[in-house]
Amino acid sequence: QQQVKQSPQSLIVQKGGISIINCAYENTAFDYFPWYQQFPGKGPALLIAIRPDVSEKKEGRFTISFNKSAKQFSLHIMDSQPGDSATYFCAAYKAAGNKLTFGGGTRVLVKP
Amino acid sequence: NAGVMQNPRHLVRRRGQEARLRCSPMKGHSHVYWYRQLPEEGLKFMVYLQKENIIDESGMPKERFSAEFPKEGPSILRIQQVVRGDSAAYFCASSPEGFPRYEQYFGPGTRLTVT
C-alpha cells in the first residue's frame, strides 16, 4: 500500500519562479518528513527535513510547509534555478523500525 | 571520506542468471538499506541490515531475492534466476549510529538490465 502520495509527477517552471510539490500521508505514526533530491544517474541526497510538530522550515531557497491535521506537507523552491532541475522525493520516516517510505517523485525542470 | 560505493554500476544479465550487487557503506556506518527504483517510479524499500543481521526484509520478494551484510566486506543483494521484471535501478544507502536516521546516504545505484 502506498502510504505517501506525491504530486505532481512532473513540473516545468521558468527560472526565478516558484516550484511547489505536494505530498500526503496516511499513517500518523511518522516521526520526520524529509525531502530528497536526485539528479540523473545519481543516488538521492537529503535536502531538508521537518518534524511533525513544526509547521514550516526554511533552508535557503527551500521551504517545507507542514499541515498535521490535513496530513499533508509540501516543498517550495523559491527563485528556481536551472541547477534545481532534478527529481524530488518526499518521504516519511518512522523511528520505530527505522524505515523511510518514499513518495513517487516529481521531476522538476527549470527553464532558463 | 568516500561516499557509499556500489558496483557494478551497470549489470546486464540474461533471464535465469544470477545478479549479485555490492554495496560498501560509508566509513563508520553500520546500517545498510537496499531500495529498488523502477523507471519513472519512486524508491521502494527492500531490506534493512546491520552487520551480520537482517533487521527488516519486509520489502523483499519472498523468492529469488536475498541480502547479507557480513562482518567483513560489502553488503550483497543477490537475485537468483532473474526475470525481465527485475530490470531496475537498485540503490544502497547507509546511515551511522545515532539519531536521526532519516538521513540516509545513497550510493550511485546499480542499473540492472535483464535481457
Side-chain angles (χ1 to χ4, degrees):
Chain A
Q1 71 281 16
Q2 187 179 4
Q3 295 189 54
V4 181
K5 295 184 179 180
Q6 184 171 348
S7 63
Q9 285 188 308
S10 62
L11 181 60
I12 298 174
V13 63
Q14 291 295 128
K15 178 182 174 182
I18 302 173
S19 304
I20 302 174
I21 306 169
N22 300 300
C23 285
Y25 63 97
E26 298 170 358
N27 189 329
T28 57
F30 293 119
D31 300 292
Y32 276 88
F33 296 87
W35 287 84
Y36 279 76
Q37 179 188 53
Q38 183 181 28
F39 292 105
K42 306 289 185 183
L46 179 68
L47 187 63
I48 186 173
I50 195 168
R51 294 192 331 242
D53 57 347
V54 176
S55 61
E56 185 174 281
K57 182 174 182 180
K58 185 176 181 180
E59 287 185 5
R61 295 183 294 106
F62 299 90
T63 300
I64 303 178
S65 298
F66 190 85
N67 185 332
K68 189 172 182 178
S69 60
K71 290 192 254 182
Q72 294 176 348
F73 57 111
S74 60
L75 177 71
H76 290 59
I77 307 174
M78 314 300 285
D79 187 26
S80 297
Q81 300 296 312
D84 297 331
S85 297
T87 299
Y88 293 81
F89 294 96
C90 63
Y93 173 77
K94 191 184 298 185
N98 189 23
K99 183 180 283 188
L100 266 176
T101 302
F102 285 90
T106 298
R107 184 176 292 180
V108 174
L109 176 63
V110 181
K111 289 196 167 181
Chain B
N1 189 6
V4 176
M5 298 174 67
Q6 289 188 249
N7 65 81
R9 294 292 307 276
H10 300 274
L11 183 61
V12 180
R13 284 287 178 265
R14 291 199 177 98
R15 279 180 296 169
Q17 291 184 319
E18 178 179 286
R20 191 172 294 203
L21 288 60
R22 295 175 185 77
C23 168
S24 295
M26 286 183 71
K27 187 176 181 180
H29 288 195
S30 57
H31 302 266
V32 167
Y33 317 82
W34 285 93
Y35 294 86
R36 178 163 62 177
Q37 186 176 36
L38 293 169
E40 308 302 320
E41 291 190 16
L43 295 125
K44 303 295 184 188
F45 167 81
M46 298 182 74
V47 62
Y48 162 37
L49 311 104
Q50 293 183 30
K51 284 284 188 182
E52 299 185 278
N53 286 304
I54 297 174
I55 307 301
D56 181 353
E57 57 181 347
S58 59
M60 288 267 278
K62 293 289 186 281
E63 298 177 352
R64 302 187 298 108
F65 286 73
S66 63
E68 62 178 10
F69 187 17
K71 188 176 181 181
E72 301 290 338
S75 175
I76 306 287
L77 179 67
R78 185 181 291 109
I79 310 172
Q80 296 178 304
Q81 299 175 346
V82 296
V83 300
R84 288 231 171 99
D86 297 332
S87 294
Y90 292 83
F91 289 94
C92 166
S94 70
S95 66
E97 289 296 333
F99 186 82
R101 293 202 195 122
Y102 61 79
E103 182 167 9
Q104 297 179 5
Y105 296 80
F106 282 79
T110 293
R111 278 147 186 87
L112 172 66
T113 302
V114 179
T115 61

